[in-house]
Amino acid sequence: MENRPLIGITTYLERARWGVWEQSAALLPAAYPALVQAAGGLAVLLPPDDPGRAPSVAARLDGLVVAGGPDIAPDRYGAEPHPRTAATAPERDAWESALIRAAAAARLPLLGVCRGMQLLNVVRGGTLVQHLPEAVGHRGHCPTPGVFARHPVRPVPGTALAALLPEAELAVPTYHHQAVDRLGSGLRVCARAADGTVEALEGDGPGFLLGVQWHPERDGDLRVVRALVAAAGG
């Protein structure tokens, strides 16, 4: 019998329409679980819940993916909201922050995707650039609504990510108007864009802790998620 690692993936909580129904729904693009499955894991969805239950959830998982989504509430990193910040997911902010802390306490392998990477940084005490197009040198990151773009990123030599992605530069699918500003504790930058934007973070200690600003579920490159699944199975 197969013994595949159980990988939890956080979900959106949105008003959605299907068939004759229009209701509040816990939902997630199918590409996320498909990527985990292709990488050798079993995918289970984690809708927002009582943050106090996060340790119990983490104890039942082998690995965790914190998915992308809307902007994080700026008060979580001590900032006033920018006019272009759309912090529309307070339930996710609270639940996923608790999951990230619980994963750290349980030494659970964790991958943060886009918003998930930013929230990892915020939970560790870091801050965010709220609107890249207004930041000097970062104007190329403003997305077209609803359209993924690709741009090159450069893994930082000597990091765990560079060992996983040994190319000097690779093009990744991306969609973000915010980015890491001040780095959170226990994290190091492991990839940047050509303009200096932080594109990936990893833990500076043992275990698998990685955040990528891009969307691996929109690509055919399984290496990042395979590494998570391998760590979860170890």
Side-chain angles (χ1 to χ4, degrees):
M1 185 174 68
E2 284 187 308
N3 187 21
R4 293 185 168 219
L6 184 65
I7 309 298
I9 312 170
T10 63
T11 76
Y12 291 69
L13 186 61
E14 302 284 350
R15 195 78 181 169
R17 190 172 189 173
W18 66 100
V20 298
W21 305 104
E22 183 175 346
Q23 298 181 21
S24 179
L27 54 86
L28 186 71
Y32 280 97
L35 185 68
V36 166
Q37 292 159 350
L42 294 174
V44 58
L45 304 191
L46 304 175
D49 202 340
D50 179 345
R53 295 174 182 150
S56 295
V57 172
R60 300 184 187 193
L61 298 174
D62 299 310
L64 174 65
V65 176
V66 182
D71 299 336
I72 297 155
D75 60 6
R76 288 193 168 265
Y77 48 95
E80 291 295 320
H82 185 282
R84 295 293 296 275
T85 294
T88 59
E91 300 92 345
R92 287 191 65 183
D93 288 350
W95 169 239
E96 292 172 8
S97 294
L99 277 177
I100 288 170
R101 294 188 182 99
R107 298 184 180 180
L108 188 70
L110 184 151
L111 172 65
V113 174
C114 196
R115 165 195 157 88
M117 182 188 94
Q118 294 171 5
L119 188 58
L120 170 62
N121 188 61
V122 168
V123 168
R124 292 295 187 98
T127 62
L128 302 178
V129 176
Q130 290 193 53
H131 194 52
L132 281 170
E134 293 182 3
V136 176
H138 298 282
R139 297 183 183 277
H141 284 268
C142 186
T144 300
V147 177
F148 283 90
R150 296 187 78 90
H151 69 70
V153 300
R154 300 169 181 172
V156 175
T159 61
L161 182 69
L164 185 63
L165 305 175
E167 300 95 320
E169 185 175 277
L170 67 157
V172 295
T174 180
Y175 186 87
H176 65 106
H177 80 114
Q178 298 191 336
V180 166
D181 189 6
R182 187 183 72 238
L183 196 62
S185 67
L187 300 173
R188 63 186 171 204
V189 176
C190 54
R192 292 186 184 272
D195 63 8
T197 299
V198 175
E199 292 288 340
L201 300 174
E202 63 187 31
D204 62 10
F208 187 95
L209 178 62
L210 177 63
V212 294
Q213 187 61 73
W214 64 88
H215 284 263
E217 81 281 3
R218 303 294 303 183
D219 207 352
D221 191 339
L222 296 176
R223 288 176 292 177
V224 165
V225 179
R226 275 183 177 155
L228 169 73
V229 171

